[in-house]
């Protein structure tokens, strides 16, 4: 998945804490700067799906400016 958050203190923490809340393991996280938008980043995250993944994604979307789920394998 890929998402961006607001550039405010704790914004990324709020999203990442949802993975803990739903016992979802992150296998990768990577940040990239947003072109032409200083101090803003997009985050690429790989997770291990479980029965709570759909609920977690729905909650994560509430805290994100942009969100894209690339599906699973």
């Amino acid at each position: 998945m890929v998402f961006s958050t607001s550039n405010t203190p704790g914004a990324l923490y709020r999203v990442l804490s949802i993975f803990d809340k739903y016992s979802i393991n992150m296998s990768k996280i990577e940040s990239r700067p947003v072109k032409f938008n200083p101090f803003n980043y997009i985050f690429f995250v790989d997770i291990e799906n479980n029965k709570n993944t759909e609920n977690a994604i729905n909650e994560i979307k509430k805290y994100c400016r942009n969100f894209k789920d690339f599906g699973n394998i």
Side-chain angles (χ1 to χ4, degrees):
M1 68 183 63
V2 64
F3 61 85
S4 63
T5 63
S6 61
N7 185 16
T8 58
L12 180 59
Y13 170 79
R14 283 187 282 283
V15 172
L16 297 181
S17 68
I18 295 169
F19 293 118
D20 179 47
K21 176 181 175 182
Y22 288 97
S23 299
I24 295 173
N25 188 42
M26 290 189 319
S27 56
K28 177 183 175 184
I29 183 168
E30 181 178 338
S31 63
R32 297 275 175 100
V34 176
K35 287 184 181 181
F36 310 112
N37 202 346
F39 306 107
N40 286 283
Y41 294 86
I42 55 174
F43 301 94
F44 296 85
V45 176
D46 291 347
I47 62 170
E48 295 176 7
N49 287 329
N50 69 24
K51 64 182 179 183
N52 301 314
T53 302
E54 187 175 335
N55 292 331
I57 287 174
N58 289 332
E59 191 170 334
I60 288 168
K61 288 178 182 179
K62 296 175 188 177
Y63 295 100
C64 295
R65 285 183 175 169
N66 299 296
F67 180 90
K68 175 71 176 167
D69 183 4
F70 292 111
N72 56 53
I73 359 182

